[in-house]
Amino acid sequence: MKKLIPIITLILSCISLVSCSNTPTDTTNTNNPTTATSTNNTVESQPENSPTSETEKEDQTETETETDKPEKIKSTPQTVSKTNIKNKSPQVGKVKQLVNGDLMCYVTLVNEKGGENQFGASFDICAEEGKFLNKKVRASFTVESVNDCESAEPCGKTRQESIITKMEVLEDKTTTKTETKPQANKTQTISNGEWTITIGNGDSWTGVNNTGNLTYKGCDTKSNCIELTGGKVSCRDGKCVTGWRNGDYVYIIEQPITENGNADSTLIVRKGDQEILKATGLK
């Protein structure tokens, strides 16, 4: 009996050892630090959809939006083309003044209501001052290229402008009868025995200074004569002065203003600033 007890004890010990060696293994060992670390590393190194950062998303969205947007059309003021300039309507009026400027001729027209308007014109119009001055005309306009400079000196710039290129003298019914009378072309002859001067077309002066289209014929005792046109009258400082230009020469008739208008006149001829002739006592 004593021998059986040790044997039984030995058998039980062996059974216990076998039971311990066959304990099942937990495959989902969550307490194993090595396994947990490996799992976490796998998740971090291989994200599911590789999402980009929010900042990158915003930058990409803005870039796509700007690219997809159509280019904005900048609104700038429309420049009027010079070719859009139209001819002005024909103007009817009495020619009060023709003046040659640096860039063009300038015509002053007086309409039926007495209003004055100044228009640009070609130099050819001013060249025919004797034909148009103080006459009723119909002025026609054409778009022409004119110098766009500050003076008559060429600067290479031009602009389009509607200017008078043609003037047609119209019959003025209110003065037709008067113009047929002899006194319409007022003529005055004065002499001092040495010089005889005839001044014609006196009615072309309307009383406005530096206007008129008077004629001049001056002869000496040897019948040497000179004829001029385009004389203009200016009255101030107690005398009336009528002047004609002939190249470098200027012919002047001066007459004091008196009540009866019978004062003697003086002929002065100048070349530039030099006075080369002065004849007094013309009456």
Side-chain angles (χ1 to χ4, degrees):
M1 188 65 182
K2 290 181 181 181
K3 292 181 181 180
L4 288 174
I5 292 172
I7 295 172
I8 294 172
T9 300
L10 180 59
I11 293 171
L12 291 174
S13 297
C14 291
I15 294 172
S16 176
L17 289 174
V18 172
S19 175
C20 289
S21 61
N22 291 333
T23 302
T25 302
D26 188 0
T27 58
T28 60
N29 186 1
T30 58
N31 294 326
N32 190 329
T34 304
T35 304
T37 300
S38 176
T39 303
N40 289 339
N41 290 338
T42 303
V43 172
E44 290 178 1
S45 61
Q46 297 181 2
E48 183 174 350
N49 291 322
S50 300
T52 58
S53 65
E54 292 297 326
T55 302
E56 293 175 348
K57 284 184 178 181
E58 291 177 358
D59 293 342
Q60 182 177 0
T61 303
E62 290 177 359
T63 302
E64 292 176 353
T65 304
E66 291 176 356
T67 303
D68 295 339
K69 285 183 179 180
E71 182 180 358
K72 292 183 179 180
I73 301 175
K74 296 182 180 180
S75 178
T76 56
Q78 184 178 2
T79 302
V80 179
S81 174
K82 293 182 179 180
T83 58
N84 291 335
I85 299 176
K86 297 181 179 179
N87 287 329
K88 297 177 182 177
S89 301
Q91 298 289 323
V92 175
K94 185 176 182 180
V95 180
K96 179 179 179 180
Q97 192 174 29
L98 292 165
V99 178
N100 264 321
D102 289 338
L103 306 180
M104 66 182 74
C105 167
Y106 295 94
V107 179
T108 301
L109 294 181
V110 181
N111 57 34
E112 295 181 353
K113 296 182 180 180
E116 295 185 8
N117 294 287
Q118 189 179 75
F119 302 96
S122 64
F123 287 108
D124 294 339
I125 299 297
C126 278
E128 297 186 275
E129 179 181 10
K131 177 181 177 180
F132 299 122
L133 191 64
N134 297 311
K135 301 291 180 64
K136 184 178 180 181
V137 301
R138 178 185 290 111
S140 300
F141 295 79
T142 305
V143 175
E144 299 285 344
S145 293
V146 297
N147 286 333
D148 193 12
C149 309
E150 295 181 358
S151 65
E153 296 296 327
C155 64
K157 297 180 181 179
T158 61
R159 70 175 186 273
Q160 298 292 304
E161 188 166 328
S162 184
I163 63 175
I164 298 173
T165 54
K166 179 182 178 182
M167 287 205 303
E168 176 187 0
V169 178
L170 303 177
E171 181 182 359
D172 192 343
K173 295 181 180 180
T174 61
T175 60
T176 300
K177 293 182 179 180
T178 303
E179 291 176 351
T180 59
K181 294 180 180 181
Q183 60 268 31
N185 186 10
K186 185 178 178 180
T187 302
Q188 178 187 14
T189 299
I190 55 178
S191 178
N192 65 354
E194 183 182 2
W195 295 93
T196 301
I197 299 171
T198 301
I199 301 172
N201 201 26
D203 287 345
S204 66
W205 184 55
T206 60
V208 179
N209 283 342
N210 298 316
T211 62
N213 186 29
L214 283 71
T215 61
Y216 173 97
K217 182 177 181 180
C219 302
D220 60 14
T221 56
K222 297 180 181 181
S223 298
N224 296 315
C225 302
I226 183 172
E227 296 185 14
L228 304 171
T229 60
K232 300 187 184 303
V233 183
S234 179
C235 294
R236 58 169 64 92
D237 300 330
K239 61 183 178 182
C240 285
V241 177
T242 307
W244 295 262
R245 182 175 292 277
N246 181 31
D248 295 334
Y249 295 87
V250 177
Y251 293 74
I252 300 171
I253 296 293
E254 289 186 356
Q255 184 180 34
I257 299 174
T258 60
E259 292 183 1
N260 56 19
N262 292 329
D264 291 352
S265 300
T266 300
L267 168 64
I268 300 173
V269 181
R270 292 176 180 164
K271 182 179 181 181
D273 296 333
Q274 183 181 4
E275 184 177 286
I276 61 176
L277 174 65
K278 186 172 186 179
T280 60
L282 294 162
K283 56 184 178 180

